[in-house]
Amino acid sequence: MTFGESISTCFSKYATFDGRATRSEYWWFALFTFLASVILGMISETASGVFSLAVLLPSLAVGARRLHDTDRSGWFLLLWLLPIIGWIVLLFFATQESKEPNRFS
């Protein structure tokens, strides 16, 4: 999946928490949100904040779909609330390959 396809897919599945997301889809979208936030932050903190709020739901959705692709529940996203340890665990989960067979379609 290319950079543009990833962004298009994530915004077309704005609040779709079911299904699966490939590694490339997840990481291209993460790169897009990071770069856009940094660029908007240089222009205006308000613009960066509004953008971050606008992409919060699609970011959570693609995160849940990425966890589904590794055969884990989307509820594991709550690990993000645990500083350092939770972040490392989620980073590990997001970098793993897809698992087949998988209980998520």
Side-chain angles (χ1 to χ4, degrees):
M1 180 170 282
T2 66
F3 184 73
E5 289 173 341
S6 171
I7 295 165
S8 173
T9 300
C10 289
F11 280 121
S12 68
K13 295 180 178 181
Y14 194 86
T16 304
F17 287 83
D18 58 336
R20 297 163 68 172
T22 62
R23 275 192 293 186
S24 61
E25 178 183 346
Y26 176 80
W27 288 110
W28 280 126
F29 191 71
L31 178 65
F32 163 73
T33 57
F34 174 75
L35 291 176
S37 184
V38 167
I39 291 168
L40 288 172
M42 286 190 253
I43 297 169
S44 164
E45 285 187 32
T46 304
S48 178
V50 168
F51 173 78
S52 296
L53 190 58
V55 296
L56 177 63
L57 195 55
S59 296
L60 290 173
V62 75
R65 291 194 314 269
R66 178 69 200 129
L67 287 169
H68 290 170
D69 195 44
T70 62
D71 203 26
R72 291 181 178 83
S73 171
W75 288 103
F76 276 102
L77 281 177
L78 292 175
L79 288 173
W80 190 255
L81 299 174
L82 297 173
I84 311 299
I85 302 294
W87 303 340
I88 292 169
V89 170
L90 281 174
L91 181 65
F92 175 74
F93 288 167
T95 57
Q96 288 184 330
E97 292 187 27
S98 301
K99 293 202 177 166
E100 296 294 339
N102 193 313
R103 59 191 157 133
F104 301 97
S105 56

